[in-house]
Amino acid sequence: KLTEGFGSVFGRLRGYGKLSERTIDEALVEIRRNLLEADVHYSVVKDWLASVRERAIGKEVGESFTPAEQFIKIVYEELISVLGKEPVELEPGSGRKTILLVGLQGSGKTTTTAKLARYLQKKGRHPYLVPIDPRRPAATEQLQVLGKKINVPVFPYDGSLKFKKVCRQALEEAEGEGADVVLVDSAGRMEIDSHLIEELQEICRAIQPQEVLLVLDGMTGQVALSVAKGFREAIGITGIVLTKMDGDARGGAALSLRATLEKPIYFMGVGEKVEELEVFYPDRLASRILG
Amino acid sequence: KGVVSKGKGTTLESVREALLAVDVGPQVTEQLLSRLQEQNHRGPLLEKLREAIRSDLKKLERAVSVREKPFVILFVGVNGVGKTTTIAKVAHGFQKEGRSVLLAAADTFRAGATGQLKTWADRLQIPCVMGQEGADPASIAFQAIESAKAKGMDVVLIDSAGRLHTEAPLMDQLKKIQRVSAKALPQAPHETWLVLDGTLGINTVEQVRQFQKALSVSGLVITKLDGSAKGGSLIAVAQSFQIPVYFVGIGETLEALIPFSSEEFVRSLFL
Ligand SMILES: Nc1nc2c(ncn2[C@@H]2O[C@H](COP(=O)(O)OP(=O)(O)OP(=O)(O)O)[C@@H](O)[C@H]2O)c(=O)[nH]1
Ligand SMILES: Nc1nc2c(ncn2[C@@H]2O[C@H](COP(=O)(O)OP(=O)(O)OP(=O)(O)O)[C@@H](O)[C@H]2O)c(=O)[nH]1
Ligand SMILES: [Mg+2]
Ligand SMILES: [Mg+2]
């Protein structure tokens, strides 16, 4: 499946018997270009290729009866070792749980909050939604409309900046509704906006979330890396959701984030509808990234 | 030439990485570098590069020309790029020039979309034509232009729902908005502006390609350049498309919109 993706590079290699170091380097140049075109961060590409090259010029390939196949296997293994061997479930668990969704403006947090609520509901949980976006016009309305669609209660947030009070009230309301998982939607923000990062830290202190999910647009470019690091530094990240993967972006940001944060990518958003959330499968994304 | 070995010394390699780091992409990066090496360079490579990019982008600078009344601009783009917010900023800009503006809330699909635009309209104290959820966006555009004609408004700004360029039926829906707008006013929409998110990578070029093919995009706006992103994918866009870039979004408030300047863009690119 993966080798269908890497098409011409592997196809050409198979034409060779033994693979010289030069042939391997030529293949790596092509793979490098593929990964950069997939929006993988250039420094992550550099490091990743170095580890592939180290294995590729060694005995593994050199002494193999099928060097091209061995090379392809190494590329795949090295990709999977970064992306993850299997899907990691967002623990639906059984105890009371609070999940905070964070990320850049427009990445899909509000939509993902509703999708996640529906997913957890299907797993037998009782979600409660808390919109905390004091700035975006009709932000609360957006989450309320979505909540109504999936029959999940939504806290009537009025835009107040008294976050400690808002969070306490919201958690009380959630308890009153018999909810066992609280999903908190936050406003979009840049990781370099110190004022808004402080706001996020204040919200985080007030709700003490068990999970902080970075919601990242699947089409995000090279900044994905610094964005992820910025949010990690500010409040810590426990997992990632990659959105808008129903388009033709290759999603290389996933590789950059996995290589750097080493946190699980739980889900992919694959559409605007509330049911369009998929568990993240590393091998599927590997093929997609390789192009 | 090798992927892990150094190129022609670290200067070339560091310039290459500087381009990759801002989403220029590997293909256009190599095109730019080989173009520079062909021009027998005297002087620092980075300076020659800056100059080459600046002159490419200079061609995309243009002032908006309001050429009919009402002047109609349709805003399109993929999900979450900043269309609705940009419309509010552009409306504010026209108002400051003394022009009357009317908004068309033709995103009848997304939760809270009409409420979002209506809130901006109320803040700007301007009319906003809206419809029921699920109403035909083209009919809202039509009604808005008719209303603007009747009221003698100067400008109509049409908001549309975000959509991926890979969804053919949704691209067709935009074509319909254009066709039906022309029924209300033959030259409308005078402009179709594609809003691009400055934090996105190489997919930006494909967005321009597909939207341009479907709608003959007449202008670009690049948003979210107030963050760590530099919008370098615009350099790749400029290699294949000569669509003017009218504005740059640099924040979430009404004032956070500046005319595109190739000079300023290049200066911030390699900061
Ligand atoms: N095609 C597609 N669109 C999506 C997906 N997830 C979200 N969207 C759309 O992306 C746009 C932005 O989504 P929002 O949920 O408003 O994003 P947000 O992060 O809450 O935005 P801010 O609160 O302004 O930062 C909307 O048009 C959504 O419908 C997805 O997986 N696929
Ligand atoms: N920092 C920053 N945020 C921006 C900019 N432009 C828009 N935004 C924010 O990006 C988010 C999405 O903006 P919208 O105007 O809702 O985007 P849209 O394209 O209309 O989204 P959909 O209609 O859902 O496709 C909002 O939180 C905006 O405030 C900008 O230039 N800088
Ligand atoms: Mg939101
Ligand atoms: Mg919008």
Side-chain angles (χ1 to χ4, degrees):
Chain A
K1 177 96 205 305
L2 189 96
T3 58
E4 282 165 28
F6 244 11
S8 65
V9 181
F10 293 150
R12 204 169 22 257
L13 283 184
R14 284 200 181 92
Y16 290 85
K18 191 158 164 31
L19 297 183
S20 67
E21 201 163 300
R22 170 164 170 200
T23 306
I24 287 173
D25 274 339
E26 285 173 356
L28 291 177
V29 166
E30 205 166 330
I31 292 172
R32 171 183 176 275
R33 178 169 157 158
N34 254 308
L35 294 176
L36 291 172
E37 297 205 331
D39 293 318
V40 182
H41 194 272
Y42 75 89
S43 68
V44 170
V45 173
K46 202 170 184 175
D47 295 344
W48 183 82
L49 282 174
S51 32
V52 169
R53 185 175 195 273
E54 194 174 344
R55 284 183 66 186
I57 59 172
K59 286 190 184 163
E60 236 178 314
V61 173
E63 298 183 356
S64 163
F65 284 136
T66 52
E69 297 303 328
Q70 197 56 33
F71 177 79
I72 292 164
K73 181 161 168 286
I74 288 170
V75 169
Y76 182 74
E77 282 178 3
E78 288 296 319
L79 206 53
I80 288 299
S81 87
V82 178
L83 287 176
K85 299 206 171 34
E86 301 159 346
V88 182
E89 269 241 50
L90 176 70
E91 209 31 64
S94 51
R96 244 286 290 282
K97 187 178 192 143
T98 304
I99 302 172
L100 173 65
L101 291 94
V102 304
L104 296 181
Q105 288 87 347
S107 65
K109 297 174 294 299
T110 304
T111 310
T112 301
T113 302
K115 288 178 176 181
L116 208 43
R118 178 185 170 280
Y119 171 86
L120 292 167
Q121 198 179 45
K122 294 237 170 288
K123 295 259 170 184
R125 301 297 299 253
H126 292 238
Y128 185 82
L129 304 184
V130 184
I132 309 191
D133 183 343
R135 281 170 300 282
R136 174 171 159 148
T140 297
E141 179 190 340
Q142 186 183 1
L143 195 59
Q144 282 173 330
V145 168
L146 292 173
K148 195 143 177 259
K149 255 196 196 139
I150 55 175
N151 213 357
V152 169
V154 181
F155 181 74
Y157 176 62
D158 61 357
S160 159
L161 296 179
K162 300 195 164 71
F163 299 117
K164 203 163 162 200
K165 180 156 175 262
V166 165
C167 291
R168 184 173 41 79
Q169 281 178 339
L171 292 175
E172 283 170 9
E173 284 295 315
E175 194 128 356
E177 292 273 350
D180 58 8
V181 60
V182 177
L183 294 149
V184 183
D185 179 21
S186 68
R189 71 203 69 223
M190 302 291 188
E191 83 286 3
I192 60 167
D193 186 328
S194 49
H195 170 62
L196 290 190
I197 286 296
E198 277 173 27
E199 171 185 283
L200 190 57
Q201 290 171 328
E202 194 183 339
I203 292 171
C204 224
R205 280 194 296 276
I207 53 165
Q208 302 285 322
Q210 280 71 43
E211 293 270 3
V212 179
L213 302 182
L214 176 64
V215 178
L216 191 80
D217 191 321
M219 306 179 269
T220 308
Q222 299 283 305
V223 288
L225 198 53
S226 44
V227 168
K229 285 183 182 169
F231 276 92
R232 174 180 62 182
E233 191 165 320
I235 54 169
I237 297 293
T238 62
I240 298 156
V241 177
L242 212 56
T243 62
K244 308 178 203 171
M245 291 300 281
D246 41 315
D248 55 2
R250 307 253 296 278
L255 191 65
S256 311
L257 262 55
R258 282 287 307 157
T260 317
L261 292 187
E262 296 181 318
K263 292 296 178 190
I265 300 176
Y266 288 123
F267 299 103
M268 291 204 319
V270 292
E272 295 195 69
K273 302 203 190 81
V274 83
E275 58 269 20
E276 290 174 314
L277 187 73
E278 275 179 12
V279 165
F280 172 75
Y281 285 96
D283 55 349
R284 287 186 204 163
L285 190 70
S287 321
R288 180 171 177 156
I289 285 178
L290 287 176
Chain B
K1 272 293 180 62
V3 69
V4 199
S5 59
K6 296 251 178 283
K8 291 209 181 80
T10 39
T11 311
L12 184 68
E13 189 54 25
S14 59
V15 170
R16 174 177 282 118
E17 288 189 347
L19 286 169
L20 291 175
V22 296
D23 295 307
V24 174
Q27 188 175 334
V28 173
T29 293
E30 294 315 315
Q31 278 173 14
L32 280 171
L33 291 179
S34 51
R35 194 169 119 198
L36 291 182
Q37 291 178 312
E38 278 162 24
Q39 317 162 7
N40 196 354
H41 63 245
R42 287 181 223 114
L45 188 58
L46 195 58
E47 266 325 296
K48 303 245 84 183
L49 179 69
R50 274 195 158 102
E51 192 38 43
I53 295 172
R54 205 197 53 79
S55 76
D56 284 353
L57 295 183
K58 186 95 192 132
K59 302 176 194 147
L60 304 188
E61 283 178 14
R62 192 170 310 175
V64 190
S65 109
V66 176
R67 42 195 188 275
E68 189 175 14
K69 176 170 167 149
F71 185 67
V72 182
I73 308 177
L74 169 64
F75 288 78
V76 302
V78 305
N79 307 75
V81 296
K83 298 175 292 300
T84 305
T85 311
T86 298
I87 286 172
K89 295 174 185 179
V90 170
H92 180 61
F94 277 128
Q95 270 186 322
K96 286 203 290 200
E97 290 182 341
R99 298 185 204 269
S100 57
V101 184
L102 178 145
L103 303 185
D107 176 354
T108 54
F109 170 76
R110 205 208 70 212
T114 298
Q116 186 185 4
L117 191 67
K118 177 81 173 96
T119 302
W120 281 118
D122 291 346
R123 286 182 192 175
L124 294 166
Q125 300 183 343
I126 62 181
C128 182
V129 171
M130 305 176 285
Q132 300 285 6
E133 184 189 345
D136 181 4
S139 73
I140 299 195
F142 184 90
Q143 289 167 40
I145 298 172
E146 287 296 318
S147 173
K149 280 157 61 182
K151 294 179 177 175
M153 308 294 288
D154 295 314
V155 180
V156 177
L157 305 179
I158 307 173
D159 194 8
S160 67
R163 68 208 62 220
L164 294 180
H165 49 285
T166 46
E167 296 285 324
L170 296 183
M171 298 303 285
D172 288 343
Q173 188 189 64
L174 288 178
K175 289 183 198 171
K176 185 176 177 199
I177 294 178
Q178 287 182 323
R179 278 199 310 277
V180 171
S181 296
K183 291 202 165 82
L185 184 67
Q187 298 301 318
H190 303 88
E191 298 275 342
T192 295
W193 287 2
L194 174 62
V195 180
L196 300 171
D197 182 332
T199 67
L200 303 187
I202 302 198
N203 196 255
T204 300
V205 182
E206 193 56 22
Q207 290 174 23
V208 175
R209 179 169 296 120
Q210 296 305 328
F211 275 88
Q212 163 63 2
K213 194 159 153 225
L215 308 171
S216 303
V217 171
S218 61
L220 302 175
V221 177
I222 309 222
T223 63
K224 307 180 193 172
L225 291 194
D226 47 310
S228 42
K230 309 292 169 119
S233 58
L234 180 64
I235 298 170
V237 169
Q239 305 302 314
S240 316
F241 303 96
Q242 289 302 309
I243 306 171
V245 183
Y246 285 104
F247 293 108
V248 174
I250 51 167
E252 303 189 71
T253 61
L254 291 171
E255 284 71 32
L257 191 75
I258 54 175
F260 173 69
S261 146
S262 56
E263 188 79 42
E264 222 146 286
F265 184 87
V266 173
R267 189 175 332 126
S268 81
L269 204 57
F270 298 125
L271 276 181

